[in-house]
Amino acid sequence: MSHTAPYGDQLAVVTVTYSPGEALERFLDSLDKATTRPFRVVLADNGSVDGAPERAAEREGVELFRTGANLGYGTAANRAVAQLPREVGWVVVANPDIEWAPGSLDALLAATGRWRRGGAFGPLVREPDGAVYPSARLVPSLGKGIGHAVLGKVWPGNPWSRAYRQSDTEVVERTAGWLSGSCLLLRRSAFDSVDGFDPRYFMYFEDVDLGDRLGRAGWLNVYVPSAEVTHIGGHSTRHSSARMLAVHHRSAYQFIADRHPGPLWAPLRLAVRAGLAVRAKLEVRASGG
């Protein structure tokens, strides 16, 4: 996507809300300590009914942007970013249940000067218990993806999952295939160049897909562990409900099918769809759903 003029250097933070509860207040309180730079906050609200976004919008610098329906994570983020003024050249897209460590956003912003082709920058993400979540991963190849999908739950230390998660990679600033969408700093021109998140992904894999497309477009996905956030919601319970498990597996299939189109790959797509369906049923049964 071409532009008649470059973006400015202002900063905006977009968080997608759907009845976020008290987590949103913690997000905003910690964000105030995460950077010394001025910024605006846009709450891309997908139809909250708990009043939390409305209360948060009473704060100075916080804007409530109603999407009009539950559009999913990526589409809501896209719409919020699109309505930002051209002075905004840097956009954070983050979950509302993120807590920022002091100075963490400044650390992300500092990294942009070291990586001129950086399109997306991601912090070190901690679980609520302090464990480091593997938030900077390889784009899953067919072999690693299938190995991880089949064995990830029953044999977490299998070589395919370890390679995909970059489990043996030293925690240093580096490039990655993709970064967790729970917290991303995006160069707006890079985000625009790939038309943002793919709206076909309602939830899950929109970050994998974005990272892959940024890389194909010549941008870098940069992991910046000197910046830390905690994902209070945690990733371990993301797939707890039967509906979310179904959405997750549908998105996984979409990602694989997109990269293996045409009649030649039809048998593979059929096998992958069947395998993911079986895996989803097993996970629902294991979760008691």
Side-chain angles (χ1 to χ4, degrees):
M1 184 179 299
S2 62
H3 298 288
T4 57
Y7 287 120
D9 200 41
Q10 291 183 17
L11 172 67
V13 177
V14 171
T15 184
V16 179
T17 54
Y18 184 69
S19 296
E22 295 179 358
L24 182 56
E25 295 295 326
R26 295 197 298 269
F27 174 91
L28 295 170
D29 288 343
S30 61
L31 180 60
D32 284 337
K33 301 178 181 64
T35 180
T36 57
R37 283 185 54 171
F39 60 89
R40 69 184 73 201
V41 176
V42 180
L43 311 178
D45 189 62
N46 270 339
S48 296
V49 295
D50 65 351
E54 288 80 3
R55 290 191 296 273
E58 296 174 1
R59 296 186 183 214
E60 184 179 357
V62 178
E63 171 194 345
L64 179 58
F65 174 75
R66 301 184 192 276
T67 65
N70 187 4
L71 304 179
Y73 190 79
T75 300
N78 285 349
R79 294 195 180 183
V81 172
Q83 56 85 46
L84 291 169
R86 298 195 61 80
E87 290 77 18
V88 174
W90 296 98
V91 183
V92 172
V93 176
N95 286 4
D97 57 355
I98 287 291
E99 284 195 14
W100 300 81
S104 50
L105 182 47
D106 278 341
L108 281 177
L109 290 163
T112 67
R114 298 190 290 273
W115 301 84
R116 296 298 183 180
R117 291 298 298 170
F121 298 81
L124 181 147
V125 180
R126 292 195 181 275
E127 299 275 16
D129 63 2
V132 175
Y133 177 75
S135 60
R137 304 187 185 190
L138 294 175
V139 173
S141 65
L142 193 58
K144 289 187 179 69
I146 291 174
H148 172 65
V150 173
L151 298 173
K153 293 289 185 181
V154 295
W155 180 18
N158 74 79
W160 297 279
S161 292
R162 292 188 68 82
Y164 164 57
R165 290 174 172 157
Q166 303 265 268
S167 300
D168 297 324
T169 304
E170 190 177 359
V171 181
V172 295
E173 188 166 298
R174 60 179 174 82
T175 59
W178 64 278
L179 303 160
S180 170
S182 63
C183 185
L184 287 172
L185 171 65
L186 298 161
R187 190 186 300 270
R188 191 176 177 186
S189 56
F191 189 67
D192 276 2
S193 75
V194 296
D195 295 323
F197 289 107
D198 188 329
R200 294 175 300 161
Y201 294 89
F202 179 80
M203 186 180 292
Y204 307 122
F205 273 83
E206 73 282 336
D207 46 5
V208 188
D209 174 79
L210 177 68
D212 183 37
R213 288 187 293 111
L214 283 171
R216 291 169 185 258
W219 299 99
L220 299 175
N221 297 282
V222 184
Y223 178 52
V224 187
S226 57
E228 286 196 21
V229 301
T230 300
H231 193 185
I232 300 302
H235 293 74
S236 59
T237 58
R238 291 173 73 187
H239 309 156
S240 56
S241 74
R243 178 175 177 270
M244 288 299 98
L245 281 166
V247 171
H248 181 266
H249 287 84
R250 189 158 55 245
S251 293
Y253 174 77
Q254 183 73 63
F255 181 84
I256 293 170
D258 280 353
R259 284 148 182 83
H260 298 86
L264 180 65
W265 291 104
L268 169 73
R269 294 196 301 272
L270 186 63
V272 168
R273 186 190 289 273
L276 286 170
V278 170
R279 184 174 186 264
K281 289 180 180 177
L282 292 174
E283 289 196 19
V284 169
R285 188 179 303 166
S287 67

